[in-house]
C-alpha cells in the first residue's frame, strides 16, 4: 500500500470531521461517528476505502480516486477525494499531499490552481457549488 493512500485514508477521517463540524445537525454528527468507527475497525494504515461510498441514505456521495468525466478536456480531473452533498448542493474536491514544512503554503496554492478548471466545470455539469480543499501535511506534522 502506498504512503499516499495511507495518508489519504487518515485524512479522509479528518475531512469528514471538518465538513461535519460546520453543521451542528445531529444527523451529520451521528454519521460522522459511524464512519470513524468503520475506519477504526482495522488499523488505519490497512484501511482501503471503497472507490464510491454513499452515506446518509444517498444524500452524500464520496468518490475516492475517481476520474471525473467532463464535456471538455481537463488535464487534472482526478482529485484524491470528492465529497458531493446532494441535499445541500455542494461538492468538495480534495487533494492530499505531503510536503516540507516550509513549502506547505506554496503546495496549498498549487493544489488550488491545479483543480481550478475542474472546479469551474463541475458546477455546470452537476449543478452544485464546488470548493477545492487541499490537505497538505508537513514533514513534521504541520497541516494546512
Amino acid at each position: 500500500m502506498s504512503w499516499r493512500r495511507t495518508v489519504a485514508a487518515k485524512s479522509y477521517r479528518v475531512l469528514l470531521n471538518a465538513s461535519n463540524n460546520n453543521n451542528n445537525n445531529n444527523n451529520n454528527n451521528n454519521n460522522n461517528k459511524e464512519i470513524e468507527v468503520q475506519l477504526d475497525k482495522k488499523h488505519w494504515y490497512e484501511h482501503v476505502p471503497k472507490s464510491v461510498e454513499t452515506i446518509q441514505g444517498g444524500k452524500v456521495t464520496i468518490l475516492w480516486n475517481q476520474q471525473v468525466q467532463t464535456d471538455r478536456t481537463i488535464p487534472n480531473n482526478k482529485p484524491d477525494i470528492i465529497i458531493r452533498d446532494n441535499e445541500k448542493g455542494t461538492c468538495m474536491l480534495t487533494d492530499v499531499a505531503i510536503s516540507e514544512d516550509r513549502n506547505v503554503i506554496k503546495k496549498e496554492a498549487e493544489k488550488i490552481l491545479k483543480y481550478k478548471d475542474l472546479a469551474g466545470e463541475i458546477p455546470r455539469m452537476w449543478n452544485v457549488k464546488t470548493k477545492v480543499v487541499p490537505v497538505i501535511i508537513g514533514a513534521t506534522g504541520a497541516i494546512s
Side-chain angles (χ1 to χ4, degrees):
M1 183 179 302
S2 71
W3 63 271
R4 185 175 179 88
R5 184 178 287 176
T6 58
V7 168
K10 187 68 171 175
S11 300
Y12 176 72
R13 180 174 25 189
V14 171
L15 283 171
L16 291 171
N17 284 336
S19 67
N20 284 335
N21 283 340
N22 294 334
N23 305 326
N24 291 328
N25 188 341
N26 288 337
N27 287 339
N28 288 340
N29 292 335
N30 291 340
N31 288 325
N32 187 22
K33 291 175 186 173
E34 179 182 325
I35 291 172
E36 285 185 38
V37 170
Q38 289 174 0
L39 285 176
D40 289 336
K41 285 183 181 176
K42 297 181 182 178
H43 298 289
W44 65 268
Y45 51 85
E46 293 176 354
H47 177 72
V48 180
K50 300 178 219 170
S51 59
V52 177
E53 186 170 335
T54 305
I55 58 175
Q56 294 183 357
K59 295 177 185 173
V60 177
T61 304
I62 301 171
L63 304 170
W64 171 269
N65 206 20
Q66 293 281 318
Q67 188 174 17
V68 178
Q69 298 295 323
T70 57
D71 296 337
R72 61 187 181 100
T73 304
I74 295 178
N76 300 313
N77 63 349
K78 190 176 179 181
D80 291 333
I81 303 168
I82 300 172
I83 302 174
R84 180 179 174 183
D85 189 340
N86 298 323
E87 189 174 73
K88 295 178 188 169
T90 59
C91 181
M92 289 188 342
L93 305 175
T94 306
D95 202 40
V96 180
I98 304 227
S99 178
E100 296 179 29
D101 284 336
R102 62 182 176 188
N103 293 332
V104 168
I105 302 299
K106 179 181 173 184
K107 185 63 90 171
E108 182 178 0
E110 286 176 11
K111 295 294 182 184
I112 291 171
L113 287 174
K114 181 178 179 180
Y115 293 108
K116 183 178 180 181
D117 291 337
L118 185 62
E121 189 73 11
I122 286 178
R124 190 183 63 75
M125 295 183 331
W126 295 350
N127 196 24
V128 294
K129 294 177 186 174
T130 304
K131 181 179 179 182
V132 178
V133 181
V135 176
I136 313 300
I137 302 170
T140 61
I143 298 175
S144 75

Coordinates of all heavy atoms in Angstrom, one line a residue, residues 17 24 69 97 143:
N17 N -14.6 15.0 9.6 CA -14.8 15.7 10.8 C -14.9 17.2 10.5 O -15.8 17.9 11.1 CB -13.6 15.5 11.7 CG -13.6 14.1 12.4 OD1 -14.7 13.5 12.5 ND2 -12.5 13.7 12.8
N24 N -24.1 21.9 12.9 CA -24.4 21.3 14.3 C -25.6 20.4 14.2 O -26.3 20.2 15.2 CB -24.7 22.5 15.3 CG -23.4 23.2 15.5 OD1 -22.3 22.7 15.5 ND2 -23.5 24.5 15.8
Q69 N -15.5 12.6 -15.5 CA -15.8 12.8 -17.0 C -16.4 14.1 -17.2 O -17.4 14.4 -16.7 CB -16.7 11.6 -17.5 CG -16.1 10.2 -17.3 CD -14.9 10.0 -18.1 OE1 -14.8 10.5 -19.3 NE2 -14.0 9.3 -17.6
A97 N -1.5 15.9 0.0 CA -0.1 15.9 -0.3 C 0.7 16.0 1.0 O 0.3 16.5 2.0 CB 0.2 17.1 -1.2
I143 N -0.1 21.1 9.4 CA -1.3 20.8 8.5 C -1.9 22.1 8.0 O -2.1 23.0 8.9 CB -2.3 19.9 9.2 CG1 -1.8 18.6 9.6 CG2 -3.6 19.7 8.3 CD1 -2.7 17.7 10.4

